[in-house]
Amino acid sequence: MDTDYRNALGPVYSNALTILSTVISRPTPDRVIIDAGLKSLSIDSGMAEPKGQPELAYQPKGDEHGALSWKQEGVSAELPLQIGERIELIPSHIDTTINLHDTYYAYRDGVIEAIWPVEARGKVQ
């Protein structure tokens, strides 16, 4: 379940996958840089969404980096995210996002319960 399906079907199911990212820079009070760019999240169905933070918008800033800022233009308040803080991003399209990774980490209630390799990665010929 990604944001593309959620937007098409409504909130029938909860999102099944998130990408964990870390805030690595705060160039301005209302924008932070994270370590998740185009090599971590596909954007073919739109932008990823910060989980639990609907007021924030994600924008890729290259292969390895992305930015989070206020979704509503003109807001100049400081973002509530600090360097080193982790944030989960809900992909817009899971299929093409998973293709970018080697491993799933099954995480629940603060515990990694399993580690699954993405066996089909790189197998398209």
Side-chain angles (χ1 to χ4, degrees):
M1 187 66 168
D2 49 35
T3 63
D4 199 29
Y5 273 115
R6 185 206 58 215
N7 294 342
L9 301 173
V12 177
Y13 305 103
S14 60
N15 294 103
L17 178 89
T18 62
I19 299 296
L20 186 61
S21 182
T22 303
V23 175
I24 59 172
S25 176
R26 288 182 52 94
T28 66
D30 59 349
R31 182 170 47 103
V32 300
I33 304 301
I34 59 174
D35 63 354
L38 294 170
K39 288 184 178 180
S40 299
L41 292 156
S42 67
I43 60 169
D44 60 309
S45 292
M47 296 301 135
E49 295 178 4
K51 182 178 178 181
Q53 304 215 27
E55 70 281 3
L56 299 182
Y58 167 80
Q59 185 70 35
K61 294 296 181 188
D63 292 341
E64 286 91 13
H65 303 101
L68 297 175
S69 58
W70 296 112
K71 188 179 282 186
Q72 183 179 350
E73 289 187 38
V75 176
S76 61
E78 186 170 326
L79 284 177
L81 298 167
Q82 301 302 316
I83 293 174
E85 194 168 340
R86 299 282 179 104
I87 186 163
E88 291 178 77
L89 300 163
I90 304 168
S92 62
H93 189 185
I94 285 179
D95 305 22
T96 53
T97 293
I98 285 302
N99 188 56
L100 300 170
H101 297 269
D102 293 324
T103 309
Y104 282 101
Y105 294 89
Y107 178 84
R108 182 179 11 214
D109 298 326
V111 176
I112 294 177
E113 295 183 353
I115 299 173
W116 302 319
V118 180
E119 297 289 352
R121 178 171 158 79
K123 302 300 186 218
V124 175
Q125 299 190 18

